[in-house]
Amino acid sequence: MKRVTIHDVARKAGVSVTTVSRVLNDRGYISNEMKEKVLNTIEELNYIPNEMARSFFSNQSKFIALIVPTTENPFFGELTFHVEKALAKFGYHLFICNSLNDSENEEKYLRLLNEKRVDGIIVGSHNVDISEYKNYEDQIVSIERKLTKNIPMVQSDDYNGGRLATQELITQGCTNILCVTGDKNVETPANDRSIGYVDEIEKNNYRKNFIEIPFQIDLDEKLKIIKETFQGDFKYDGVFAGDDVNAKLFLNVAKEMGYDVPKDVKVIGFDGTQSIRYLVPELSTVVQPIENLAYEAVTTLLDLLKGKKVKNEVILPVELYLSETTQGSKK
Amino acid sequence: MKRVTIHDVARKAGVSVTTVSRVLNDRGYISNEMKEKVLNTIEELNYIPNEMARSFFSNQSKFIALIVPTTENPFFGELTFHVEKALAKFGYHLFICNSLNDSENEEKYLRLLNEKRVDGIIVGSHNVDISEYKNYEDQIVSIERKLTKNIPMVQSDDYNGGRLATQELITQGCTNILCVTGDKNVETPANDRSIGYVDEIEKNNYRKNFIEIPFQIDLDEKLKIIKETFQGDFKYDGVFAGDDVNAKLFLNVAKEMGYDVPKDVKVIGFDGTQSIRYLVPELSTVVQPIENLAYEAVTTLLDLLKGKKVKNEVILPVELYLSETTQGSKK
């Protein structure tokens, strides 16, 4: 049985090839009647337009989806940018999914794999039950999220970042350091940041102090939690915040309450996006290699899709960036 | 001629329907030989899997692409978030394209329309020659970009924003105000911000001062240009920056050079993203209604795709947010 071509459709419908092409591409003027006739013939002959056939039989869409909580956050905005840049290098396009506030979204995006709309997914967030991911282990790579035993993960050296920041605060003379974490119920390597904190604190026999600020709540609510920390007698002389947004909010509140930074309280954040580094240069932070995280995730995923053996875990080094919020102004 | 079903494929290939389904979905173990046989039969019978057929004949992919310069920038990170949220409300998914540094990217994305991979595009950036857009006038809406006469545009009231900011600086006593613009060769409604500035300055018979900082250059280069402004005798007592990133960089440099803000120099930015408002609360700025811009662009595009008549231009009001960088600290 010969494959049906556009010429067969044109002949059968009694129209020109150009007309069929116009209907297929929805271009130029075509009467509804003519359109109907062409579409009916296409259906009747089971004609598959070339590009559909090509993409279907090659089993490749050349699209990769990226699931992040929200591109509003500087870390994920920057990560998205670099993932797209890395994918473009290999001829792939990017889908984006802001999954925050909607766990159904994430399920919908997993279904894209089934429909062959995307070849693979990079997951930088998860709300869906982990078991859902089991069906797609050979098409997913995660960034800073442990999904299943077999899904490869790319992450920063969170543990060492937590240690470096805490060590630095101790070196600068802090003895009562607060650790700001995300929602501890969400299992992510980011929790290793506070393990690094704990290990350094215990080594020095200081008290461990924690405050939890869930990632997905409003900035307004975050601010409220931070202000409450300062109620009564604020007693911390150091703050290690697991992300830069919280670190900066702490700085703002401290200044608003009349504290002298860094004399009364020193602050170190985490992430070190380019925009935070330039817009808030006074903030000390642990810098994640965001561009490299993106590149590693992309190349690992593309290797996986080719059936190559890939590393189950890639851990990239972080760097401590020190500024006046820990060391005092250099002026 | 009856449409070929999955049952016909299974019967002809001599396998179970489950096996055909597995091959189609690339799931479960199937020998290469079996896979080959099923794929050959699919080809031979011209079988169109349901979801492909559905999406093809309905002529809808339910995907919309958004082209922005870069999600690294807080404005576009936030815009992307809100566009995705609005699309989700109507059952659509979002493609993202960071077009910065690569005008070819933009052309590639226009081609997606041809391939029916997306139903429409929201353009928040352009590098491609405008004429390219002429072929897609009924499938595109722009945000803050004038593409062609017929492509609907959603924008903030940039002109009024420029006026409000300049008026405020004058009210606060500034007499020598610098206006920071983007690349003036790029035709965008954002240029109206400086027209608003000009009108207010002329009304008061002050001198007009401009400095151009192209959007797409590195933050490092932006910083260099700003530092040069302060060389010699820095003589401006007010700065109106067309975006918050430049406004904050100006603030940082002014402080680094020992200027007293707002006594020596007052600064007002533009955009007013949530993250800037919370992270840099000391910055005065003209707040764009980003969530509404996104919602208007999405609903306009969906109406357009349904063949409804839509407004050619939607202009949304802006608001001036004043803080200590113009008014002095309230402490």
Side-chain angles (χ1 to χ4, degrees), chain A residues 11 28 134 148 160 173 175 177 184 217 221 228 236 241 248:
Chain A
R11 205 175 306 123
K134 286 233 170 97
T148 75
N160 196 41
T175 57
I177 302 168
K184 282 189 176 175
I217 63 174
E221 291 176 67
E228 278 164 14
Y236 310 110
K248 182 60 166 81

Side-chain angles (χ1 to χ4, degrees), chain B residues 242-297:
Chain B
D243 78 89
D244 286 336
V245 172
N246 287 331
K248 181 59 165 84
L249 293 180
F250 253 96
L251 273 187
N252 292 349
V253 173
K255 282 180 190 166
E256 202 185 304
M257 311 286 260
Y259 287 89
D260 185 343
V261 179
K263 208 174 135 272
D264 299 337
V265 56
K266 301 181 207 298
V267 178
I268 299 184
F270 207 104
D271 284 348
T273 54
Q274 232 219 357
S275 53
I276 287 280
R277 293 274 296 282
Y278 276 87
L279 295 179
V280 192
E282 72 273 21
L283 183 70
S284 293
T285 183
V286 177
V287 181
Q288 296 199 61
I290 304 182
E291 187 166 359
N292 290 346
L293 283 173
Y295 190 82
E296 281 294 328

Side-chain angles (χ1 to χ4, degrees), chain B residues 45-331:
Chain B
L45 297 183
N46 270 322
Y47 168 61
I48 307 175
N50 271 338
E51 67 268 25
M52 273 181 90
R54 216 183 306 118
S55 105
F56 182 70
F57 290 110
S58 76
N59 253 336
Q60 280 198 336
S61 69
K62 291 282 182 187
F63 280 89
I64 300 293
L66 171 69
I67 304 181
V68 295
T70 167
T71 48
E72 267 191 315
N73 176 281
F75 176 77
F76 291 107
E78 198 161 314
L79 184 71
T80 301
F81 174 71
H82 288 297
V83 167
E84 205 247 347
K85 216 170 64 175
L87 285 173
K89 205 174 278 179
F90 297 102
Y92 280 78
H93 299 290
L94 177 68
F95 261 126
I96 184 85
C97 168
N98 285 295
S99 70
L100 196 65
N101 305 326
D102 190 358
S103 65
E104 269 175 46
N105 248 355
E106 224 168 295
E107 261 183 294
K108 257 185 342 206
Y109 275 76
L110 286 177
R111 264 179 268 132
L112 292 176
L113 284 174
N114 256 342
E115 296 170 10
K116 311 262 170 220
R117 292 209 189 250
V118 300
D119 299 337
I121 297 187
I122 296 172
V123 178
S125 158
H126 74 267
N127 308 295
V128 177
D129 189 51
I130 300 283
S131 62
E132 285 270 340
Y133 282 100
K134 286 232 168 98
N135 302 319
Y136 306 96
E137 290 186 329
D138 50 355
Q139 292 168 281
I140 291 182
V141 166
S142 78
I143 296 179
E144 292 271 323
R145 284 291 183 287
K146 195 66 207 161
L147 299 174
T148 76
K149 205 167 68 14
N150 298 316
I151 292 178
M153 172 172 65
V154 178
Q155 64 160 108
S156 290
D157 193 344
D158 295 289
Y159 173 75
N160 195 42
R163 279 190 54 230
L164 286 175
T166 312
Q167 259 175 9
E168 178 64 29
L169 289 170
I170 290 172
T171 303
Q172 301 281 339
C174 301
T175 58
N176 196 11
I177 302 169
L178 176 67
C179 177
V180 186
T181 71
D183 190 335
K184 282 190 174 173
N185 292 325
V186 182
E187 261 189 69
T188 120
N191 295 342
D192 295 349
R193 297 170 195 176
S194 51
I195 298 178
Y197 158 85
V198 166
D199 283 0
E200 284 304 308
I201 291 292
E202 287 184 345
K203 207 193 283 175
N204 288 275
N205 284 315
Y206 291 141
R207 215 182 80 175
K208 285 166 281 185
N209 309 288
F210 291 101
I211 179 179
E212 215 174 299
I213 303 184
F215 180 84
Q216 71 280 4
I217 63 173
D218 283 350
L219 286 169
D220 229 17
E221 290 176 68
K222 290 185 182 183
L223 206 55
K224 222 178 104 193
I225 295 175
I226 291 168
K227 279 184 176 162
E228 276 163 15
T229 314
F230 282 84
Q231 299 306 320
D233 52 341
F234 180 78
K235 50 195 186 311
Y236 310 110
D237 52 12
V239 175
F240 166 49
D243 78 89
D244 286 336
V245 172
N246 287 331
K248 181 59 165 84
L249 293 180
F250 253 96
L251 273 187
N252 292 349
V253 173
K255 282 180 190 166
E256 202 185 304
M257 311 286 260
Y259 287 89
D260 185 343
V261 179
K263 208 174 135 272
D264 299 337
V265 56
K266 301 181 207 298
V267 178
I268 299 184
F270 207 104
D271 284 348
T273 54
Q274 232 219 357
S275 53
I276 287 280
R277 293 274 296 282
Y278 276 87
L279 295 179
V280 192
E282 72 273 21
L283 183 70
S284 293
T285 183
V286 177
V287 181
Q288 296 199 61
I290 304 182
E291 187 166 359
N292 290 346
L293 283 173
Y295 190 82
E296 281 294 328
V298 164
T299 50
T300 304
L301 180 60
L302 298 186
D303 280 350
L304 194 67
L305 295 180
K306 278 186 220 134
K308 286 192 194 167
K309 225 180 134 48
V310 300
K311 280 190 199 148
N312 197 253
E313 224 176 77
V314 176
I315 300 184
L316 301 175
V318 297
E319 242 177 78
L320 189 59
Y321 165 83
L322 291 181
S323 182
E324 60 191 72
T325 49
T326 50
Q327 302 184 306
S329 170
K330 276 150 285 174
K331 258 194 291 174

Side-chain angles (χ1 to χ4, degrees), chain A residues 1-4 23-27 35 39 42-49 51-53 55-57 59-63 69-72 74 76-78 80-82 84-85 88 91-102 105 108-109 112-117 135-136 138-139 218-221 223 244-246 248-249 252 255-256 258 274-276 278-282 331, chain B residues 1-4 23-27 35 39 42-49 51-53 55-57 59-63 69-72 74 76-78 80-82 84-85 88 91-102 105 108-109 112-117 135-136 138-139 218-221 223 244-246 248-249 252 255-256 258 274-276 278-282 331:
Chain A
M1 196 169 175
K2 219 180 117 271
R3 156 155 292 182
V4 179
V23 172
L24 288 173
N25 295 304
D26 228 3
R27 291 267 207 87
K35 198 167 166 181
L39 283 174
I42 285 173
E43 249 185 300
E44 200 183 318
L45 297 183
N46 271 320
Y47 168 61
I48 307 176
E51 65 268 27
M52 272 181 91
S55 106
F56 183 70
F57 289 110
N59 255 334
Q60 280 199 335
S61 69
K62 290 283 179 188
F63 279 90
T70 166
T71 48
E72 266 191 315
F76 291 107
E78 197 160 315
T80 301
F81 175 72
H82 288 297
E84 205 247 348
K85 216 170 65 174
Y92 279 79
H93 300 290
L94 177 69
F95 261 127
I96 184 88
C97 168
N98 285 296
S99 69
L100 197 66
N101 305 327
D102 190 358
N105 247 354
K108 254 181 348 203
Y109 275 76
L112 292 176
L113 284 174
N114 256 343
E115 295 170 10
K116 311 263 170 220
R117 291 210 189 248
N135 302 320
Y136 306 97
D138 51 355
Q139 290 168 282
D218 282 351
L219 285 169
D220 229 17
E221 291 176 67
L223 206 55
D244 286 337
V245 172
N246 286 331
K248 182 60 166 81
L249 293 179
N252 292 348
K255 282 178 188 167
E256 203 186 303
Q274 234 218 355
S275 53
I276 287 280
Y278 276 88
L279 295 178
V280 192
E282 72 272 20
K331 257 193 290 174
Chain B
M1 197 169 173
K2 217 180 116 272
R3 158 155 290 184
V4 179
V23 171
L24 288 172
N25 294 305
D26 230 2
R27 291 268 207 90
K35 196 168 169 183
L39 284 173
I42 285 172
E43 248 185 300
E44 200 183 320
L45 297 183
N46 270 322
Y47 168 61
I48 307 175
E51 67 268 25
M52 273 181 90
S55 105
F56 182 70
F57 290 110
N59 253 336
Q60 280 198 336
S61 69
K62 291 282 182 187
F63 280 89
T70 167
T71 48
E72 267 191 315
F76 291 107
E78 198 161 314
T80 301
F81 174 71
H82 288 297
E84 205 247 347
K85 216 170 64 175
Y92 280 78
H93 299 290
L94 177 68
F95 261 126
I96 184 85
C97 168
N98 285 295
S99 70
L100 196 65
N101 305 326
D102 190 358
N105 248 355
K108 257 185 342 206
Y109 275 76
L112 292 176
L113 284 174
N114 256 342
E115 296 170 10
K116 311 262 170 220
R117 292 209 189 250
N135 302 319
Y136 306 96
D138 50 355
Q139 292 168 281
D218 283 350
L219 286 169
D220 229 17
E221 290 176 68
L223 206 55
D244 286 336
V245 172
N246 287 331
K248 181 59 165 84
L249 293 180
N252 292 349
K255 282 180 190 166
E256 202 185 304
Q274 232 219 357
S275 53
I276 287 280
Y278 276 87
L279 295 179
V280 192
E282 72 273 21
K331 258 194 291 174

